[in-house]
Amino acid sequence: MVVWKESLYVAGIPQKKQERIIRAIGRRRPVRGVYLITAPSNRKNCLEYMKANQILQPYYKEKEIEVYGLAGSEEAAQELAAAMLCGTYAATGGFAVVDYLEYRGREEGDTA
C-alpha cells in the first residue's frame, strides 16, 4: 500500500500530470520515468529513491510504502532527496529526515 505524505515534494513533473501519476501509482498501474522518494527500509539510511514501477513487484504488495517525494527522472530524484536532506539539516542540525518531515507535516496540517 502506498501512503502519500501531505507535504509531498515534487520535482521534474508538471503540475497537470502530478495527480494522474499519483492515481496511477495508487492503483498499481505502471508509469514511465517516475521515481519515488520514500522512507528508508533500513533505519541507517536517511531516504531511499526507487523507480515507481518497482512497487508493482509482489514483494511490495503487502508493504506499506511512505512516499515523501515524486520525481520525473533519476537525476531529479537525486537532487530532490539532496534538497530534502539539506533542508532537514538546516532546520534541525541533524539528519533524521523522516522524523523531521513527519513533524513538519503535522505542523502544516495543524495550521491548514
Side-chain angles (χ1 to χ4, degrees):
M1 173 173 69
V2 178
V3 178
W4 298 96
K5 296 303 180 171
E6 254 183 68
S7 57
L8 185 70
Y9 288 76
V10 181
I13 298 175
Q15 192 165 1
K16 285 182 171 182
K17 293 185 178 183
Q18 290 175 16
E19 192 63 37
R20 186 171 35 142
I21 290 170
I22 289 170
R23 263 192 319 248
I25 292 170
R27 292 178 180 152
R28 301 182 56 82
R29 301 285 185 247
V31 290
R32 185 179 225 175
V34 175
Y35 285 78
L36 305 176
I37 298 173
T38 66
S41 58
N42 175 353
R43 277 296 187 187
K44 292 182 181 179
N45 296 336
C46 295
L47 292 170
E48 291 180 358
Y49 73 91
M50 67 173 88
K51 286 185 177 183
N53 290 340
Q54 186 174 337
I55 66 169
L56 300 176
Q57 299 296 319
Y59 172 80
Y60 292 99
K61 194 171 191 172
E62 302 298 321
K63 300 282 182 187
E64 183 174 283
I65 302 163
E66 297 174 335
V67 180
Y68 293 92
L70 189 63
S73 68
E74 185 173 10
E75 183 178 335
Q78 291 170 349
E79 291 173 3
L80 186 57
M84 293 165 73
L85 182 65
C86 289
T88 299
Y89 185 76
T92 67
F95 294 104
V97 179
V98 172
D99 294 338
Y100 173 69
L101 293 175
E102 288 293 329
Y103 169 78
R104 190 172 154 241
R106 284 193 301 273
E107 287 287 310
E108 287 178 2
D110 289 343
T111 59

